[in-house]
Amino acid sequence: MGFLMATFLAAIVVKGQPVAPTLRLPGTVQPLKYAAELKLIPGQDRFTGAIDIDLNVHQSTSVIWIHAKSLDVQNVSIQTHGKDFPTLAGPRDNDLVALQTQGAIPAGPTRLHISYSGQVSRILTDGLFQQRYDGEWYIFSKFEPITARRAFPCFDEPSFKTPWKLTLHIPNRLHAFSNTPAVSETEESGELKTVLFAESKPLPSYLVALAVGPFDIVDAGKAGANGTPLRIIVPRGRANDAVNAAGTTPKLLSLLENYFGIPFPYEKLDQIVVPTTTAWGAMENAGLIAYSQVLLSAPQDDTELRQRARASVMAHEISHQWFGDLVTTAWWDDIWLNEAFASWISRKIINEWRPDWNGKSDAVISQSVAMNSDRLLAARKIRQPIEAPDDIANAFDNITYSKGAAVITMFENYAGPDLFRKGVQQFLKSHAWKNADAADFLSALDLASGRGLSSSFSTFLNQRGVPLLHVNVSCHPDSAPVVRLSQERFLPLGSSGSTAATWKIPVCMKWTNEGTPQQECVLLSKQTDDFPLPETKSCPGWLLANANGTGYYRTKYEGGLLDRLFDPGFPELREQEKVSVLQDVQAFFAAGRLDAGQSLQTAVRFGSDPSRDVVQATFGFFGTASEAVPVQLRPNLARLIQSVYSPRAHRLGWIPKIGESRDARLLRPSLLSLVALTGDDRELRAEGARLGRTWLDDRHAVNLDLAGTALIAATWDGDGALLQRIVAEIKTTKSQRERSTMVTALRYFGDPAIARSVLDLIFASGLEPRELTSLLTPARRETRPVIWDFVKQNFERLNARLPGARGIPFAAVLPLTAAGFCNEQRRVEVQSFFEDKIGMLKGGARNLASALENIRLCEAATAAIQPSIITYLQSH
């Protein structure tokens, strides 16, 4: 960080260096209000700014600590009690600046003024950044978690929640947007204008937002109790792509208002499209939500699969206006209060709005993905202590989002939706416009439910790992059947961790009593406990220990219970419950703790089930098998997949049929992908490849849900000519969604030489490197070594070329490119390569630990299940 010192500062004598905060700013100085002024010219790499911060100095001090990064400070002044204090600004580590005065500042109201300049990045997609779209330059901001300091010298922590007032100087032909409505626009000389925005409600710095450019504005009407005005803001010429989002927003906002019992908290709701983002897809800025173009924009004839995905993201971000904005986490260890709740409520609201979408099974799949991450010893806790600056960025992971949402769902199911909602509403009303932490929420939940849930909830918040629930039933002629539940930590084969762990687990059981369905929820707070089945005299025909599929635990049924659950119990289960049972079985298989024959036979049995959700839940068994099967037996695995799924895949075909069911439309893309690619059904793959090439010529010739799958079928056996054709299309296509589809397909070329040519595109001219980061994620077993060699050869160059995010350099995520390897030689190689690098990469140590653990677990699981896979495939 460079600092230009005014000549009047030369006389200041600084006696010693003040001791810098190690992590958090001291509480001796509190910001009360910000007034910031920026001159922003899209296309120019520098901006100028000035900021006035009203402060309350709680105790006399000669140094004020503040955050700033990549800013050049020209002038600093402090005024208090009618006196000016000449000030010296000195940069420190961790983006800190010491504002040191000659003489101590007395306690009381104080005003800090800083004039400065900074950079508008053309590479990053956080801080202040700019992008060129269709020949025009646009400036955007994305400040979460700690990059507001790239735009403003400020107290860049969530607990400092204060009003902001922005003034922007921009070219007069452009539009400007911020969190609040513009109250005036005044022309200046030199083809500029001044845009003054209304003062905001209290906001932490990371929720402040702005955008400047030649946007189109789509009016989405008004909604909610206060008639909140709604707009979709898009790059020039893309207004037609906003129709779906404009139609969806009013309903989502009204449903969220109704659930929270609080009107929309801000004066307006603008939702703005950013052409390209990296490491984030959307950002919940108060009153100005930002989305990647690929998430929010859509053609008017968009498909249901895409509508579902878009509505889910929109509900997540709009819900943040209450959870995260109205009430803000006090510190980053409680970011789950934002992200887990938004993930949970978005599913709840979508299920209420569109019950025909049957979204509850999707929640079970998300829960299982979280458990897969949580099985690692390197996994975070939901409420992980923040001990260093790089821990902040690591907090935005699958544990925070998906595990957090799953745990909330489990306790809502246990407490009951009405009591849980009461607790949520009480929490929001008590802490509106303020900050809160986990204790505040749990207290509100206890008060509303009267069930003392906080101690149980805390065992999941503050403890990493997945519970493994053992279930057994004993039956006696003269008394009620008894369910014995015992718990330990679920660990895959090869893990060096201890299974000794205890949670307070809400277990909701479901069974039949002489043909009548029964359900009971209990709390398992000990390692082992017995629970009589109430009002049940005879031994139940079957028992499910995860009613509604909401339990965050793996379930191991003992003594033939699993067989009885499959038959006769399965027809009596809800779709999400069936999916949950199959996910557990598949997880034991992947962990090396279940025989391959039993596992694959389960997939074969349910692979032809009438339910789309059940069929899709069986696909993971074959994904696990494909990782462990020897090369010479891959044709056997492909034939097994074809025997289970090809008849249905061929009936569905690549072309949707008039009058076909919704399930047929939704199953087609994933089923065809499995059969044509992993199943090596060459007839289906050839037809898909033909359609993929046709789509390159005519974007309307192929169903939107199938275009990506068809193009992958083309690249699967594709040659260099196809690669060049796709690259040419990427360079000329304006639609971010279409470019994303093509970039994804590039990952599936199987020829090693072509795969290497694909990776070289990251450094090619005429392509946007921010769009190409996914090329470093292996999509095929055959290309993992190619990607790993490329990473090793270009490590420094990749770090310099590709944008990091949330304060973490791009190279910090590169260990994850090797996480799919499955042998000791590669594990040693990965560890050796990063040994002298990882310490210099913020956030990288956790990624490396995760990658190495994944490789080690894959080694162990493969060694355990490969013999039984070989036996099974040779006999089928």
Side-chain angles (χ1 to χ4, degrees):
M1 183 187 302
F3 286 81
L4 305 177
M5 297 303 156
T7 55
F8 77 89
L9 295 177
I12 296 179
V13 178
V14 179
K15 297 181 179 180
Q17 289 291 324
V19 178
T22 56
L23 182 61
R24 300 184 67 169
L25 295 175
T28 54
V29 177
Q30 181 81 22
L32 302 177
K33 186 181 296 187
Y34 291 89
E37 193 165 351
L38 302 178
K39 181 180 178 181
L40 297 168
I41 312 295
Q44 293 186 8
D45 292 337
R46 302 289 298 177
F47 73 93
T48 58
I51 191 165
D52 291 303
I53 311 176
D54 289 346
L55 305 171
N56 184 14
V57 177
H58 294 295
Q59 62 186 57
S60 178
T61 182
S62 60
V63 61
I64 294 175
W65 292 98
I66 198 167
H67 291 109
K69 185 177 179 66
S70 301
L71 300 178
D72 293 325
V73 174
Q74 282 84 40
N75 186 26
V76 182
S77 65
I78 292 177
Q79 293 181 330
T80 182
H81 297 81
K83 181 180 177 181
D84 292 336
F85 283 76
T87 306
L88 178 67
R92 290 297 191 80
D93 293 338
N94 295 329
D95 308 336
L96 290 169
V97 178
L99 303 178
Q100 201 163 358
T101 60
Q102 188 177 31
I105 306 167
T110 301
R111 171 161 289 193
L112 167 64
H113 172 85
I114 305 175
S115 58
Y116 62 98
S117 62
Q119 183 179 18
V120 184
S121 178
R122 298 188 183 208
I123 298 175
L124 300 173
T125 59
D126 57 12
L128 282 177
F129 61 95
Q130 59 184 326
Q131 296 180 0
R132 194 172 189 179
Y133 183 82
D134 199 16
E136 299 272 11
W137 283 99
Y138 298 80
I139 290 177
F140 302 93
S141 70
K142 194 270 187 179
F143 295 150
E144 187 185 43
I146 53 171
T147 53
R149 62 192 67 175
R150 290 182 178 271
F152 316 104
C154 60
F155 295 76
D156 200 13
E157 294 179 5
S159 61
F160 297 112
K161 192 171 183 180
T162 62
W164 285 73
K165 191 171 186 178
L166 293 189
T167 301
L168 301 182
H169 303 274
I170 66 169
N172 55 25
R173 65 182 183 84
L174 302 181
H175 298 292
F177 305 92
S178 187
N179 306 90
T180 57
V183 295
S184 67
E185 291 193 8
T186 308
E187 292 211 9
E188 305 176 21
S189 59
E191 298 184 343
L192 295 179
K193 64 181 177 182
T194 301
V195 183
L196 174 64
F197 293 94
E199 184 174 86
S200 75
K201 298 289 197 304
L203 295 176
S205 52
Y206 82 88
L207 289 176
V208 176
L210 59 88
V212 178
F215 295 97
D216 285 345
I217 303 169
V218 177
D219 189 340
K222 296 182 178 181
N226 295 332
T228 302
L230 312 173
R231 299 185 298 184
I232 312 296
I233 300 161
V234 296
R236 179 180 288 168
R238 308 305 300 187
N240 287 340
D241 293 347
V243 172
N244 183 274
T248 302
T249 301
K251 186 62 177 177
L252 294 178
L253 185 144
S254 295
L255 286 169
L256 287 164
E257 277 193 349
N258 180 62
Y259 184 86
F260 293 134
I262 300 172
F264 185 78
Y266 301 101
E267 302 96 321
K268 66 176 178 68
L269 175 57
D270 289 338
Q271 296 175 95
I272 192 165
V273 167
V274 181
T276 303
T277 65
T278 51
W280 63 278
M283 177 60 210
E284 67 268 18
N285 310 306
L288 182 63
I289 301 173
Y291 299 85
S292 170
Q293 186 182 56
V294 73
L295 289 180
L296 196 69
S297 298
Q300 294 188 37
D301 59 346
D302 210 12
T303 66
E304 182 177 314
L305 276 174
R306 295 175 185 263
Q307 289 177 33
R308 286 184 180 205
R310 183 178 309 104
S312 177
V313 173
M314 291 175 66
H316 180 110
E317 300 304 326
I318 296 172
S319 74
H320 270 312
Q321 306 295 293
W322 289 266
F323 255 106
D325 295 7
L326 175 66
V327 179
T328 304
T329 180
W331 182 237
W332 299 112
D333 54 358
D334 276 318
I335 193 61
W336 71 277
L337 278 171
N338 295 11
E339 301 302 348
F341 271 86
S343 300
W344 161 74
I345 194 66
S346 65
R347 295 194 188 104
K348 187 175 184 67
I349 290 301
I350 296 298
N351 288 337
E352 180 180 349
W353 176 42
R354 294 298 304 265
D356 55 315
W357 283 355
N358 297 321
K360 293 182 178 180
S361 293
D362 295 335
V364 173
I365 297 295
S366 176
Q367 175 195 78
S368 191
V369 171
M371 290 185 193
N372 189 54
S373 299
D374 205 17
R375 82 197 197 288
L376 300 179
L377 301 182
R380 295 173 55 260
K381 304 170 188 175
I382 296 176
R383 195 172 189 266
Q384 181 75 29
I386 303 297
E387 298 171 344
D390 48 311
D391 288 337
I392 296 171
N394 279 330
F396 292 82
D397 69 353
N398 198 38
I399 296 297
T400 293
Y401 285 74
S402 297
K403 178 180 179 179
V407 170
I408 292 169
T409 302
M410 176 171 65
F411 278 95
E412 182 200 24
N413 185 61
Y414 180 61
D418 292 338
L419 288 177
F420 196 85
R421 179 187 185 189
K422 184 179 176 183
V424 168
Q425 291 183 345
Q426 185 167 314
F427 169 72
L428 291 175
K429 290 173 182 175
S430 297
H431 300 281
W433 309 116
K434 295 181 289 189
N435 299 92
D437 60 19
D440 295 320
F441 172 73
L442 295 177
S443 175
L445 192 59
D446 277 347
L447 190 62
S449 68
R451 299 188 66 174
L453 297 179
S454 58
S455 63
S456 305
F457 208 120
S458 295
T459 65
F460 285 86
L461 282 181
N462 300 316
Q463 183 172 208
R464 61 173 56 87
V466 183
L468 171 59
L469 193 68
H470 294 270
V471 184
N472 212 330
V473 177
S474 58
C475 299
H476 309 279
D478 301 324
S479 60
V482 174
V483 177
R484 170 160 290 184
L485 302 177
S486 61
Q487 60 170 303
E488 60 180 300
R489 182 175 180 179
F490 171 68
L491 291 175
L493 200 66
S495 175
S496 59
S498 169
T499 59
T502 304
W503 291 261
K504 294 182 179 180
I505 309 174
V507 180
C508 291
M509 298 180 289
K510 181 177 178 179
W511 69 96
T512 56
N513 177 21
E514 298 179 347
T516 302
Q518 303 286 333
Q519 187 166 318
E520 174 78 1
C521 293
V522 299
L523 188 69
L524 177 63
S525 56
K526 300 186 292 187
Q527 184 177 0
T528 301
D529 208 349
D530 291 339
F531 300 93
L533 295 182
E535 300 181 9
T536 302
K537 297 300 182 184
S538 60
C539 208
W542 55 269
L543 180 137
L544 174 72
N546 192 359
N548 295 322
T550 60
Y552 189 81
Y553 45 80
R554 294 295 184 194
T555 310
K556 186 74 166 62
Y557 293 94
E558 313 285 0
L561 282 177
L562 182 61
D563 290 337
R564 299 210 300 273
L565 186 57
F566 282 150
D567 186 13
F570 230 56
E572 305 298 320
L573 304 185
R574 300 180 178 93
E575 295 298 288
Q576 69 267 27
E577 294 168 338
K578 296 177 183 179
V579 170
S580 178
V581 173
L582 291 173
Q583 289 290 303
D584 281 344
V585 176
Q586 197 271 323
F588 294 131
F589 177 35
R593 296 192 177 278
L594 192 63
D595 175 77
Q598 181 182 350
S599 303
L600 291 175
Q601 194 56 42
T602 298
V604 169
R605 176 178 181 180
F606 294 103
S608 57
D609 195 271
S611 164
R612 172 181 63 86
D613 291 336
V614 171
V615 171
Q616 287 180 317
T618 64
F619 293 172
F621 289 87
F622 294 100
T624 295
S626 68
E627 288 295 320
V629 69
V631 172
Q632 67 272 20
L633 285 180
R634 287 187 193 175
N636 299 53
L637 179 63
R639 286 193 295 272
L640 178 62
I641 291 171
Q642 289 181 37
S643 70
V644 177
Y645 302 108
S646 276
R648 193 172 194 163
H650 281 274
R651 286 197 304 272
L652 287 176
W654 286 93
I655 308 300
K657 301 170 182 61
I658 296 174
E660 69 181 3
S661 69
R662 166 182 280 148
D663 273 3
R665 294 196 309 273
L666 297 178
L667 178 61
R668 180 179 284 109
S670 58
L671 180 63
L672 291 178
S673 177
L674 174 68
V675 176
L677 304 180
T678 309
D680 199 28
D681 187 317
R682 302 192 180 188
E683 179 184 344
L684 277 180
R685 190 160 75 242
E687 175 63 11
R690 184 189 68 77
L691 288 174
R693 292 172 183 269
T694 300
W695 180 81
L696 291 173
D697 293 326
D698 180 3
R699 301 292 196 270
H700 300 288
V702 180
N703 178 271
L704 290 173
D705 282 340
L706 294 170
T709 304
L711 193 59
I712 289 171
T715 59
W716 192 265
D717 303 308
D719 56 15
L722 178 60
L723 169 61
Q724 294 308 313
R725 184 180 177 191
I726 294 174
V727 171
E729 289 294 325
I730 292 173
K731 289 181 177 180
T732 59
T733 297
K734 295 180 182 179
S735 166
Q736 180 68 30
R737 184 181 293 277
E738 292 174 2
R739 290 205 307 274
S740 177
T741 296
M742 289 183 272
V743 169
T744 298
L746 291 177
R747 299 169 52 219
Y748 288 84
F749 279 100
D751 184 296
I754 298 176
R756 174 56 196 243
S757 296
V758 167
L759 295 170
D760 287 333
L761 296 173
I762 292 173
F763 303 121
S765 61
L767 291 172
E768 170 54 71
R770 288 174 291 200
E771 291 182 289
L772 303 178
T773 56
S774 64
L775 297 180
L776 295 169
T777 302
R780 296 181 65 170
R781 201 162 128 180
E782 302 92 321
T783 58
R784 283 177 190 151
V786 178
I787 293 174
W788 172 235
D789 288 342
F790 181 81
V791 167
K792 289 189 296 182
Q793 294 162 12
N794 296 278
F795 182 80
E796 299 294 343
R797 195 178 177 194
L798 287 168
N799 193 37
R801 173 75 165 168
L802 295 172
R806 300 189 179 113
I808 287 182
F810 184 79
V813 305
L814 288 177
L816 299 178
T817 63
F821 284 129
C822 200
N823 61 72
E824 183 181 9
Q825 179 184 347
R826 289 294 191 185
R827 175 164 51 85
V828 172
E829 185 181 331
V830 172
Q831 186 166 10
S832 175
F833 178 78
F834 283 106
E835 195 168 23
D836 62 348
K837 300 176 178 64
I838 208 69
M840 298 178 288
L841 299 172
K842 287 184 177 181
R846 187 179 296 276
N847 292 328
L848 177 59
S850 176
L852 294 174
E853 188 175 358
N854 270 304
I855 297 171
R856 186 171 60 252
L857 295 180
C858 184
E859 294 173 50
T862 298
I865 66 177
Q866 193 174 71
S868 58
I869 288 177
I870 292 171
T871 300
Y872 186 86
L873 291 179
Q874 287 177 337
S875 63
H876 286 75

